[in-house]
Amino acid sequence: MHSLLDQPYELPADAIAFYQKNRFVKLKNVLDADTLAYYNEAISRKVEFLTNQNQPLDQRDTYGKAFLQVFNLWREDEASKTFVLSKRLGQIAAQLMQTDGVRLYHDQALFKEAGGGITPWHADQYYWPLSSDKTITAWIPLQPVPLQMGPLEFSAGSHAIVEGRELSIGDDSEQKIAQRLRVTDFQHVIEPYDLGEVSFHSGWVFHRAGANQTDQVRKVMTMIYMDKDMRLKQPENRHQINDWNTWCPGAEVDQVIDTPLNPVIYG
Ligand SMILES: O=C(O)CCC(=O)C(=O)O
């Protein structure tokens, strides 16, 4: 069960132009119902097995309420590996960023539990010791995501502002970035996701998600890709040091990140 994952996706030129301008795009029919049903089951099984969250929701902080987070599933079993190393998704990532190819930075499952809280405003790349902005996350719902379930929201084109990039995810980032974005013209885009829709967003665009007000888990798998020629930069905060040790151990500052954990997926 993986054929679609290796088939090319016809990415329209206007989707690339939209991404280049806004630094996110949501695409229809990237995956089909059979593929999603199969990997929903395989990935859910893995998340249930690997999650180390055992505190009740109401006793967690804002970050803890946002989702169950399980990393690098591709190292755990064959089904997840097939999904994460999908050429179809890697091809879209490369074409949107206009790079010759992409490598994996890491994957993560983000399961927002029934009754789970908001994901505060943030920009991902604050956490990453990566030398260019050629980074992109595929956000792949394993079922439809109606508005009440907490779809990913974007501030279109907000990669252009620097203020707020230095905030880690939490109450402070939610409040300060929202305040900053209110006095800009960037559109706040909140849309449901149909089955098969996948969004891609770049490392510096600001995004958030609402709470999950349904009684179903919002199951999302994500892959973070980087330009295949991405170099490691000197880390600028403790998160970036931690990321270096965790997602690309052995990579050297100013050198291309070419470790066994960062395979070229496309190109
Ligand atoms: O799934 C979410 O609620 C947040 C996801 C996110 O911030 C990301 O994938 O960069």
Side-chain angles (χ1 to χ4, degrees), residues 67 110 112 119 122 124 137 139 150 152 201 207 209 218 220 222:
F67 34 64
L110 297 172
K112 201 182 273 298
T119 308
H122 67 281
D124 302 327
T137 299
W139 197 83
L152 202 57
H201 64 272
H207 54 285
R218 187 214 67 181
V220 169
T222 67

Side-chain angles (χ1 to χ4, degrees), residues 120-179:
W121 282 112
H122 67 281
D124 302 327
Q125 199 151 335
Y126 165 70
Y127 289 90
W128 303 337
L130 305 178
S131 61
S132 88
D133 64 356
K134 298 269 182 197
T135 59
I136 193 166
T137 299
W139 197 83
I140 310 161
L142 301 173
Q143 77 292 293
V145 185
L147 292 178
Q148 313 86 287
M149 205 180 236
L152 202 57
E153 307 171 8
F154 305 95
S155 177
S158 59
H159 63 286
I161 52 171
V162 175
E163 203 182 328
R165 285 184 177 189
E166 71 291 357
L167 297 169
S168 55
I169 301 174
D171 295 327
D172 207 34
S173 72
E174 172 68 6
Q175 192 255 325
K176 289 193 170 131
I177 295 170
Q179 194 176 29

Side-chain angles (χ1 to χ4, degrees), residues 74-91:
W74 77 281
R75 310 261 296 160
E76 300 291 335
D77 72 352
E78 281 307 309
S80 302
K81 184 171 179 179
T82 303
F83 191 83
V84 170
L85 302 188
S86 159
K87 285 206 178 346
R88 181 177 179 85
L89 290 155
Q91 170 230 315

Side-chain angles (χ1 to χ4, degrees), residues 2 16-17 69 111 124 261:
H2 61 270
I16 299 176
Q69 187 173 24
F111 279 26
D124 302 327
L261 291 190

Side-chain angles (χ1 to χ4, degrees), residues 39-54:
Y39 289 100
N40 182 333
E41 204 194 305
I43 291 170
S44 299
R45 212 177 312 122
K46 234 44 226 181
V47 170
E48 193 176 339
F49 180 68
L50 292 169
T51 186
N52 51 16
Q53 181 58 267
N54 46 28

